[in-house]
Amino acid sequence: MKTVKVHFLGAASTVTGSKFYLETPELNLMIDCGMFQGLKELRLLNWEPLPIDTSKIDFVLLTHGHLDHTGYLPRLAKGGFKGSIIGTAPTLAISEIILLDSAKIHEEEAERATKEKYGKHDPALPFYTVKEAEKAIDLFRFEKKEVWIQLSENIRFKFRFNGHIIGATFIELEIFGKVFVFSGDIGRTKDVLLAPPKRPKWADYLFMESTYGNKLHPKEDMEEILTTLIHKTINERGNLIIPSFAVERLQSLMYRLWKLYKQNKIPNIPIFIDSPMGTNVLSVFEQFPDWHKLSGKEYYAMRNHFKIISSYADTWKTIDDPRPKIVIAGSGMVTGGRVLTYLKQLIDIPTTTVLMVGYQAEGTRGRQLLEGAHELKLFGKYYPVKAKIRHVESLSAHADQQELLLWTKDIENIPEEVFLIHGEPLALDTFRVKLRDVHGWQVTIPKLNNVREFVI
């Protein structure tokens, strides 16, 4: 008999900070290594030392490159981890972009907080630096999807295509003959850029995300919504600001807007892409054409249609540009990035429309805007919200409840146990009941820092 321990170090009873540590007789693994985002009480957890010895971790396996799945890697390396960080090639390319961008933002925010004295510490400390991010990136090692990779005599894993964002996978981890499946973030069945997710066929222990475990995405006509908003922006001589996640959401928005222009549904309104990270992610689409649906011809035609901003000086030129325009800028939950500069200048103007295009976690500025906040705190100061706020959920890169159930449809056995992770409390409990009713599965909702022991 062998014992495997799983430590739920993140994304347990919350939707961020994915981190799962596995102790086995042969080696120690971590599945994902993300930062907590959103509520202050969650963000403060990032600064707490992990309740494990990080120097004893042999491998980190990444499901995909998003910050809430990779953002803690520099801290892990700083804390003594010297093993390999393994992901698919596009996942590691995305992770490198995100970590370096995040590190730069951490450094800039610490510098600004010190200068303007709105932080609690003097001098303010960045969560990690660019040098610390580079130290983690040096540990990257890529592996192909759909191929078993042997880690030790009795432990192997396989990355399996999962939609969501370019490079994303779920992980089938076989330990002494038992299959542990970690879903990562599950993508949509119908995505404009990505193929549908693969599905697991066997899972002795299933660790499954439930971001939208209690919801069905609305059947919105995105063409109609975008067309109407753009014509309204032109008529009012206003600004349409779209805070966007740099990975996948930005590229899918570009594709949709380009198609609308090609179909003569919108005029040639200036569209600015102000997301250095998002622009870098575009190059990943160019580098890995087998991971998405765009042909080379479509990719270059689409890219050339937009005005891509590279410098912060051009950000200010864009703000001062009096023409009606569309600006797509990071970040998607309005937690940082270039979009804050636009909102600081334009959020108090009634002809501004802010279009939210994805999930907004508790405690983020994006959630505040959706809930009708009359003012927004930016760079330590409050600004009145007079802009119109719109929200569309159908662009989400996360599967909804129906798609999550479909993802479980091909599992041939009855899992010994199912753990629901990466969800807010209502979504977790709703999906727990749904899985019990549909499959008759035993479902557990772990809490942060729970440890579960398996005898196999």
Side-chain angles (χ1 to χ4, degrees):
M1 304 292 278
K2 308 291 184 184
T3 299
V4 175
K5 286 184 180 179
V6 177
H7 301 245
F8 295 86
L9 302 181
S13 297
T14 185
V15 84
T16 70
S18 289
K19 284 189 287 296
F20 309 98
Y21 176 58
L22 284 74
E23 293 180 90
T24 83
E26 291 187 352
L27 49 80
N28 299 318
L29 295 163
M30 184 169 277
I31 308 294
D32 286 337
C33 191
M35 274 179 62
F36 290 100
Q37 296 171 292
L39 292 169
K40 184 177 180 181
E41 63 191 68
L42 289 174
R43 298 197 312 272
L44 289 174
L45 293 174
N46 291 320
W47 295 88
E48 297 291 328
L50 293 178
I52 60 170
D53 185 347
T54 55
S55 67
K56 291 184 177 179
I57 303 172
D58 298 290
F59 299 99
V60 176
L61 308 182
L62 299 179
T63 60
H64 66 288
H66 272 149
L67 195 67
D68 63 327
H69 294 257
T70 65
Y72 196 83
L73 287 170
R75 300 282 292 195
L76 200 73
K78 184 179 180 180
F81 170 71
K82 293 182 172 62
S84 296
I85 299 168
I86 306 175
T88 64
T91 284
L92 296 183
I94 294 292
S95 299
E96 179 173 352
I97 292 166
I98 283 180
L99 289 178
L100 291 176
D101 183 82
S102 175
K104 186 179 177 185
I105 289 171
H106 287 313
E107 289 184 344
E108 289 172 351
E109 287 183 345
E111 186 178 340
R112 186 183 293 115
T114 299
K115 183 179 178 182
E116 298 182 13
K117 300 188 184 301
Y118 63 79
K120 289 188 176 181
H121 303 284
D122 190 13
L125 299 174
F127 185 56
Y128 52 80
T129 65
V130 170
K131 283 188 177 180
E132 288 166 347
E134 289 170 342
K135 184 179 177 183
I137 291 164
D138 287 342
L139 302 175
F140 282 5
R141 169 185 138 193
F142 80 87
E143 295 289 355
K144 294 180 180 179
K145 66 180 184 299
E146 307 299 337
V147 176
W148 284 108
I149 307 299
Q150 204 74 32
L151 294 177
S152 64
E153 184 179 353
N154 294 289
I155 299 175
R156 62 178 186 164
F157 77 93
K158 184 192 291 186
F159 288 129
R160 304 205 61 208
F161 184 85
N162 212 22
H164 186 58
I165 68 169
I166 190 168
T169 61
F170 65 92
I171 295 173
E172 293 180 346
L173 178 63
E174 189 178 287
I175 304 175
F176 292 97
K178 291 286 188 177
V179 178
F180 292 68
V181 175
F182 290 84
S183 76
D185 288 356
I186 300 165
R188 309 296 304 278
T189 54
K190 293 180 181 178
D191 189 290
V192 295
L193 295 179
L194 302 177
K198 300 285 189 184
R199 302 174 199 160
K201 294 189 180 299
W202 192 276
D204 294 300
Y205 302 101
L206 176 60
F207 302 77
M208 186 173 177
E209 74 117 322
S210 52
T211 313
Y212 285 105
N214 62 326
K215 289 185 180 179
L216 299 179
H217 293 314
K219 297 187 184 304
E220 299 166 313
D221 186 338
M222 277 309 304
E223 284 192 4
E224 178 63 28
I225 291 170
L226 288 171
T227 300
T228 301
L229 283 175
I230 290 164
H231 282 289
K232 188 175 178 62
T233 298
I234 293 169
N235 291 337
E236 293 181 347
R237 300 198 61 77
N239 296 281
L240 176 57
I241 309 297
I242 308 178
S244 178
F245 302 98
V247 186
E248 217 65 46
R249 198 67 44 81
L250 174 63
Q251 294 77 34
S252 64
L253 276 168
M254 289 175 69
Y255 179 76
R256 288 172 184 273
L257 291 168
W258 173 66
K259 293 289 279 187
L260 288 176
Y261 170 72
K262 293 286 287 181
Q263 295 164 0
N264 293 316
K265 293 184 177 180
I266 61 171
N268 194 19
I269 182 174
I271 307 176
F272 297 90
I273 307 298
D274 197 347
S275 171
M277 182 166 63
T279 304
N280 289 334
V281 171
L282 271 174
S283 67
V284 179
F285 275 74
E286 183 178 1
Q287 188 179 354
F288 299 101
D290 293 343
W291 280 83
H292 61 81
K293 296 178 182 178
L294 284 179
S295 68
K297 184 178 178 181
E298 285 179 311
Y299 168 81
Y300 289 111
M302 178 185 80
R303 183 182 176 117
N304 292 336
H305 180 67
F306 298 87
K307 302 178 188 303
I308 295 177
I309 294 174
S310 55
S311 72
Y312 196 52
D314 285 338
T315 295
W316 285 98
K317 287 180 184 176
T318 303
I319 290 170
D320 293 336
D321 188 329
R323 297 176 294 173
K325 57 187 173 290
I326 302 168
V327 177
I328 306 175
S331 65
M333 296 186 195
V334 199
T335 52
R338 295 276 179 91
V339 78
L340 299 186
T341 303
Y342 289 94
L343 294 180
K344 179 180 175 184
Q345 300 299 317
L346 302 172
I347 195 78
D348 64 343
I349 300 175
T351 56
T352 298
T353 299
V354 182
L355 178 62
M356 314 302 297
V357 293
Y359 182 80
Q360 306 298 317
E362 284 186 292
T364 62
R365 293 187 187 90
R367 177 69 77 91
Q368 291 170 26
L369 287 173
L370 290 188
E371 292 177 349
H374 67 282
E375 59 184 4
L376 203 63
K377 189 175 183 180
L378 301 162
F379 306 120
K381 297 179 181 177
Y382 286 95
Y383 295 84
V385 177
K386 296 182 181 178
K388 295 177 284 291
I389 310 300
R390 292 290 305 273
H391 184 218
V392 292
E393 292 184 67
S394 57
L395 284 181
S396 174
H398 280 273
D400 66 10
Q401 186 192 82
Q402 189 175 26
E403 291 165 321
L404 290 171
L405 287 171
L406 180 65
W407 189 82
T408 67
K409 181 172 170 280
D410 291 350
I411 296 177
E412 298 169 1
N413 66 313
I414 298 175
E416 295 183 33
E417 194 156 7
V418 177
F419 297 89
L420 287 187
I421 54 175
H422 203 284
E424 292 181 359
L426 181 58
L428 289 163
D429 194 57
T430 303
F431 197 52
R432 175 189 67 81
V433 173
K434 196 74 175 178
L435 285 175
R436 184 194 65 196
D437 292 347
V438 171
H439 293 304
W441 289 351
Q442 180 181 341
V443 179
T444 298
I445 299 175
K447 296 194 178 300
L448 187 63
N449 294 323
N450 277 178
V451 180
R452 188 58 187 266
E453 189 172 299
F454 305 93
V455 178
I456 57 179

